[in-house]
Amino acid sequence: MKSSLRTRSARALAAGALSAALLTSAAAAAVAADPVAPDPAQGTSTKSPGTLAVKPDQPNLKPAVNAASITIRANRTNVKSGQSVTFTGQTKGLKAGERLDLQRYDGRKWATVKTVTVKRGSSYTYAVVTKLTGMGKEKLRVVHAKTVSPTVTITVK
């Protein structure tokens, strides 16, 4: 049985159309299953992994809670041994009354120097005063559970 050019062309066209349809539907299903779409310009996702895409047909999903943060500022960066330094800052994501630890780095590990609580108010602030008696550069930070402030370096003479 001989097949004509017209029949072979029709079969090839049908097979190509079927392949294209299958690839298109598979790609659409893969994109619909992944709520975090990649950003081709940066190679990263356009949404943060901690946020959920809330769709109208899924009313029970809630966005992820923002992570807590702590800022720190010292009133002096150069002091004489035995002088007091006041550390102040703000917190986000923490409640009033929660415990904050002022920690000092001794070269091997972080050790708690003082403990203070978050004050009630619109900005959720804290303030802690401590005397620094060592000599040299002292590194200090404020910690709450897994939330850590940036490190502040104080020079003690």
Side-chain angles (χ1 to χ4, degrees):
M1 181 192 265
K2 285 184 168 181
S3 79
S4 68
L5 179 60
R6 177 185 250 177
T7 306
R8 283 184 287 173
S9 297
R11 285 183 189 158
L13 183 62
L18 181 61
S19 297
L22 288 173
L23 287 174
T24 304
S25 66
V31 169
D34 186 14
V36 179
D39 183 4
Q42 297 179 356
T44 59
S45 65
T46 55
K47 298 178 186 175
S48 65
T51 61
L52 298 174
V54 180
K55 297 179 181 177
D57 60 335
Q58 299 172 340
N60 293 333
L61 292 179
K62 295 179 183 175
V65 177
N66 291 338
S69 66
I70 303 172
T71 64
I72 186 170
R73 185 176 52 199
N75 67 335
R76 307 174 189 188
T77 55
N78 294 306
V79 295
K80 292 182 181 178
S81 182
Q83 283 186 322
S84 295
V85 179
T86 303
F87 296 95
T88 58
Q90 293 181 340
T91 64
K92 290 185 181 177
L94 300 179
K95 296 178 183 176
E98 292 198 59
R99 179 180 143 178
L100 300 174
D101 295 327
L102 176 67
Q103 294 183 337
R104 177 187 162 274
Y105 189 67
D106 68 2
R108 295 183 320 240
K109 61 179 180 163
W110 289 96
T112 300
V113 177
K114 286 205 172 180
T115 301
V116 67
T117 57
V118 177
K119 294 180 186 175
R120 182 179 310 270
S122 61
S123 57
Y124 295 98
T125 60
Y126 69 90
V128 60
V129 179
T130 188
K131 287 185 180 182
L132 299 177
T133 57
M135 298 295 273
K137 295 190 183 277
E138 298 278 344
K139 293 183 181 183
L140 295 111
R141 69 181 186 180
V142 175
V143 177
H144 174 269
K146 293 182 179 181
T147 306
V148 181
S149 74
T151 303
V152 173
T153 303
I154 307 294
T155 304
V156 183
K157 298 178 184 178

